[in-house]
Amino acid sequence: MIYLNDKDIRSIGIDWRKLTGIIRDVAGIQHTSDCVHPLKPYLRFGDPDNRIIAMPAYVGGSIRMAGIKWIASFPHNHRLGLPRAHNTMILNEPVTGRPLAFIHSALLSGLRTAAVSGLMMEAFLKRRKPGGLRIGMLGWGPVGRLHLDMCRELLGEVIQSVTLYDPNGIDPASVPETLQAVTAIADDWRPVFRSADIFITCTVSPMRYLDEQPPAGALLLHVSLRDYMPESLAGLKVVVVDDWGEVCREDTDVEQLHKRFGLMESDTVSFPDAVCRDRLAAFPAEEPVLFSPMGLAVFDIAIAACYYHEALRLGIGKALEGNLS
């Protein structure tokens, strides 16, 4: 069994095209008997804003890995100078159940999140000419920065402009150097939202605030799940979810649309259908697309398996000895 942390993940490196390819492979088997992810439980105690989530999964196909992600989200940690989220994972050999790796890495969770967004972005861009794209993003924490780095690699020179907003401010020097010349930092969310072709929310907002209708033809990558006033999304015809049972709970915007406006699973497009079966082609290009991913353990396990195998190949990580008696 080996131990890996953020430093190890960074030393192995980040290849966004490889990571989105892994997500595509898993999406292709997501609803088969060779891919299992039970509904994840939320552990709450003390402060109701805090939660620890258990995310077990098995991924078959060429990946063949089982494991569990155990991620704590404590929104007020910033008061203590600590990260909001703490992510740990255990990987198990699927034939014997033998533990193979223990991973303590918030970065790994962020990589999965941005890679899923990247694959959705690729599926969306099949509907329109990719040149001159305007990227808008709310939130400049670790997940937001990873998303912009992903956009930089996957979209490259087709990015016309980037507009960012964070209520805590953004240091222009923290923007990837290759994008600094086309990046503007706004003092409000509205100009970011109104001008974006791809609009990304990576916030930790305690309340909903987006109260405008989405721009025509925009992709709304709704990473943070609880940003939109329900009325602003009520008229959407294209809502993509990674798993209806997961995302229609825990007071997400999708759950609000379900409760207040009757959105049903049959009204949505599944993530595998969007990225593997080109189901977005059935809708006019001017229709906005909302993608609300709750985050599935099958994607986490697959990404972690990739880094585990690379760590073995490169001799990275710390060996852990267990008691076999």
Side-chain angles (χ1 to χ4, degrees):
M1 185 176 182
I2 65 170
Y3 169 80
L4 300 172
N5 58 22
D6 274 351
K7 181 180 178 181
D8 298 320
I9 301 302
R10 289 192 183 94
S11 67
I12 293 170
I14 301 171
D15 183 336
W16 288 112
R17 296 190 186 281
K18 182 177 181 178
L19 294 177
T20 55
I22 292 169
I23 301 300
R24 182 184 291 106
D25 290 343
V26 178
I29 60 171
Q30 188 177 340
H31 294 304
T32 73
S33 59
D34 211 22
C35 197
V36 182
H37 53 101
L39 193 70
K40 53 194 179 187
Y42 286 63
L43 176 66
R44 287 190 169 90
F45 53 89
D47 187 336
D49 289 339
N50 300 335
R51 59 190 182 272
I52 309 179
I53 309 170
M55 300 170 60
Y58 164 74
V59 184
S62 61
I63 297 169
R64 291 184 53 76
M65 186 65 73
I68 186 167
K69 175 179 179 178
W70 178 242
I71 183 164
S73 177
F74 284 53
H76 306 304
N77 272 359
H78 66 90
R79 300 171 184 170
L80 304 174
L82 296 172
R84 177 187 62 85
H86 294 273
N87 176 54
T88 54
M89 300 181 68
I90 295 175
L91 299 180
N92 296 82
E93 186 179 62
V95 175
T96 66
R98 179 171 62 98
L100 301 175
F102 176 75
I103 305 172
H104 179 201
S105 173
L107 175 59
L108 201 62
S109 184
L111 293 179
R112 180 271 290 166
T113 303
V116 170
S117 294
L119 185 58
M120 183 67 219
M121 192 172 66
E122 289 182 358
F124 168 79
L125 290 177
K126 292 179 180 179
R127 308 168 72 224
R128 56 161 292 163
K129 183 179 178 180
L133 284 175
R134 298 167 298 176
I135 308 296
M137 183 185 299
L138 304 186
W140 193 237
V143 174
R145 297 182 190 208
L146 286 172
H147 270 75
L148 189 56
D149 188 63
M150 174 271 295
C151 290
R152 176 195 56 79
E153 181 169 324
L154 297 185
L155 299 178
E157 295 181 356
V158 304
I159 297 177
Q160 173 183 316
S161 66
V162 175
T163 310
L164 307 174
Y165 171 69
D166 190 300
N168 296 316
I170 297 173
D171 179 359
S174 64
V175 176
E177 186 174 352
T178 56
L179 292 176
Q180 288 180 6
V182 297
T183 298
I185 297 172
D187 56 8
D188 184 68
W189 65 264
R190 295 180 189 277
V192 184
F193 183 65
R194 292 168 182 170
S195 65
D197 300 308
I198 297 177
F199 178 71
I200 311 169
T201 52
C202 299
T203 74
V204 290
S205 175
M207 62 186 67
R208 292 175 169 86
Y209 55 95
L210 293 169
D211 58 2
E212 296 188 0
Q213 301 297 308
L219 172 62
L220 313 176
L221 291 174
H222 191 19
V223 178
S224 41
L225 296 169
R226 302 169 186 88
D227 295 271
Y228 290 88
M229 302 296 288
E231 295 81 4
S232 68
L233 299 176
L236 283 183
K237 295 181 174 60
V238 193
V239 178
V240 181
V241 297
D242 54 2
D243 184 278
W244 175 262
E246 287 285 8
V247 79
C248 190
R249 62 183 184 134
E250 294 292 326
D251 192 35
T252 64
D253 290 349
V254 167
E255 185 182 29
Q256 288 297 312
L257 289 174
H258 170 64
K259 288 182 174 180
R260 296 186 55 182
F261 296 99
L263 182 73
M264 303 297 291
E265 182 177 9
S266 58
D267 301 318
T268 66
V269 177
S270 75
F271 180 63
D273 281 347
V275 302
C276 297
R277 303 176 187 95
D278 200 22
R279 293 294 170 83
L280 296 184
F283 301 94
E286 63 269 18
E287 289 290 344
V289 175
L290 174 72
F291 177 43
S292 282
M294 192 64 147
L296 300 184
V298 286
F299 299 129
D300 287 286
I301 295 301
I303 296 293
C306 171
Y307 277 94
Y308 163 70
H309 289 302
E310 280 296 290
L312 291 183
R313 184 179 70 85
L314 298 171
I316 291 173
K318 181 178 180 180
L320 301 177
E321 294 183 4
N323 183 1
L324 301 180
S325 61

